[in-house]
Amino acid sequence: DMKVTQMPRYLIKRMGENVLLECGQDMSHETMYWYRQDPGLGLQLIYISYDVDSNSEGDIPKGYRVSRKKREHFSLILDSAKTNQTSVYFCASSLLQGVGQYFGPGTRLTVL
Amino acid sequence: GDSVTQTEGLVTLTKGLPVMLNCTYQTTYSPFLFWYVQHLNEAPKLLLKSSTDNKRTEHQGFYATLHKSSSSFHLQKSSVQLSDSALYFCALRGSALGRLHFGAGTQLIVIP
């Protein structure tokens, strides 16, 4: 069963705290993505990873970093979270030459 | 650069009526278009993907035709149902390998 998982599903942090969002996939997809979704702005790409330790910035990478040490796992890290990083974060995966991305269920992050 | 435009932010329709959600794109690359649907508090899911120029593609009662001459890939359904209420995203796979460019999304609300 093809699946993208995300942990945690809900998270509340205080401004300045560090945040770790985790994503896993069981499809051996080489490409993985982190997006954030805000009302009226659609899905904005934060980072794309083409494989282990092969990461590239997306459209809005500032304030974020990523880590991919295994093909099936992709982490998003917020060092010293800010209130404007309150959002819903989606992870996705795909074959590089594939024709569609599979999305995880999302993490709703609130930074107070 | 690559971009996608969805002109309607919100569409409200009565059950049983036809719907067309607009999607136009810009790219200098050979385009591949997608429609994703996102129900409330769920992840985006692939609904449709484009085929060859001027060929209609269908899934779950929805259909769309890629028209390269007008750079469009509008989503249509002949009779909407209450369960079609969701956020619909058009996405373009353009020049950058592995990347999708998403439109801002169209919220479809179907009323009884």
Side-chain angles (χ1 to χ4, degrees):
Chain A
D1 189 25
M2 298 186 292
K3 204 171 179 181
V4 178
T5 58
Q6 290 186 238
M7 292 291 289
R9 295 293 314 280
Y10 301 91
L11 188 60
I12 299 175
K13 288 285 193 178
R14 296 197 179 278
M15 192 169 60
E17 292 184 329
N18 298 330
V19 176
L20 174 64
L21 305 185
E22 307 216 65
C23 175
Q25 51 99 359
D26 61 2
M27 298 168 277
S28 297
H29 286 166
E30 66 273 76
T31 313
M32 296 186 74
Y33 312 79
W34 277 106
Y35 294 92
R36 63 177 282 176
Q37 184 177 29
D38 302 290
L41 294 179
L43 291 158
Q44 299 177 85
L45 180 66
I46 305 171
Y47 269 93
I48 181 172
S49 174
Y50 292 104
D51 213 325
V52 171
D53 285 330
S54 179
N55 307 318
S56 292
E57 295 181 345
D59 297 322
I60 53 162
K62 188 177 178 183
Y64 304 94
R65 62 184 173 93
V66 292
S67 175
R68 190 158 178 214
K69 297 301 181 185
K70 293 183 179 180
R71 178 171 274 199
E72 61 269 23
H73 290 132
F74 191 33
S75 301
L76 180 68
I77 301 123
L78 289 66
D79 295 314
S80 187
K82 300 172 180 54
T83 55
N84 62 9
Q85 292 177 309
T86 292
S87 187
V88 179
Y89 291 86
F90 286 100
C91 175
S93 74
S94 74
L95 292 171
L96 184 60
Q97 302 294 344
V99 288
Q101 295 178 10
Y102 294 85
F103 283 81
T107 294
R108 186 173 294 274
L109 172 67
T110 302
V111 182
L112 301 175
Chain B
D2 300 329
S3 66
V4 173
T5 301
Q6 293 180 249
T7 52
E8 310 102 347
L10 174 65
V11 172
T12 304
L13 280 174
T14 302
K15 174 186 169 183
L17 290 179
V19 65
M20 184 169 85
L21 305 183
N22 290 317
C23 173
T24 56
Y25 64 90
Q26 278 190 308
T27 183
T28 55
Y29 200 68
S30 182
F32 207 107
L33 277 294
F34 304 84
W35 276 100
Y36 281 82
V37 58
Q38 185 180 23
H39 289 93
L40 189 63
N41 295 325
E42 294 186 6
K45 293 179 184 174
L46 181 63
L47 178 61
L48 278 178
K49 52 192 177 189
S50 64
S51 183
T52 52
D53 194 15
N54 298 316
K55 184 174 180 181
R56 177 162 142 166
T57 182
E58 300 187 37
H59 186 60
Q60 296 181 340
F62 287 91
Y63 58 95
T65 303
L66 177 65
H67 290 297
K68 291 184 180 179
S69 60
S70 57
S71 299
S72 67
F73 188 59
H74 305 318
L75 182 68
Q76 299 183 74
K77 191 175 187 185
S78 57
S79 174
V80 293
Q81 305 303 308
L82 296 175
S83 58
D84 294 329
S85 293
L87 185 58
Y88 291 83
F89 291 104
C90 184
L92 164 71
R93 190 184 74 186
S95 56
L97 196 59
R99 285 203 52 174
L100 288 183
H101 299 270
F102 285 87
T106 298
Q107 182 73 51
L108 174 64
I109 297 175
V110 181
I111 58 176

